[in-house]
Amino acid sequence: DHIFEKVNPEMEKQGYECKCLGGGKIEHNSKDKKIRVFGLSTGYGKADHSVTVEILKKEYADYEITWSDDKK
């Protein structure tokens, strides 16, 4: 919720209505070009990590991007 709480007010100023659908963590290894999406938010539960991965693939097409339900 730390990121959502920081971003949401600015998004609302721009006319967007935001809702947090879940959370997790992203581990970014730029040296090996790997990104791992995992975990959950204690306040919001787990996001749909497969959706997160699809968004990341658009920007990081040359990376190996994986996701799991692991907490660590």
Side-chain angles (χ1 to χ4, degrees):
D1 65 345
H2 296 84
I3 295 171
F4 182 71
E5 288 176 2
K6 288 180 183 176
V7 173
N8 189 44
E10 185 60 36
M11 297 298 288
E12 287 180 342
K13 285 180 191 175
Q14 295 180 33
Y16 294 99
E17 183 178 330
C18 300
K19 180 179 178 184
C20 185
L21 301 176
K25 297 176 178 64
I26 297 175
E27 183 178 84
H28 181 194
N29 181 330
S30 58
K31 180 181 170 234
D32 295 333
K33 292 194 170 190
K34 292 184 179 183
I35 296 175
R36 182 172 75 107
V37 181
F38 63 100
L40 54 93
S41 163
T42 55
Y44 295 104
K46 186 180 84 69
D48 184 342
H49 295 329
S50 65
V51 172
T52 306
V53 168
E54 290 308 311
I55 293 168
L56 288 168
K57 282 181 179 180
K58 292 175 186 174
E59 187 67 29
Y60 297 93
D62 58 337
Y63 273 60
E64 176 186 335
I65 304 175
T66 59
W67 70 270
S68 74
D69 288 331
D70 296 343
K71 294 182 180 179
K72 293 185 178 188

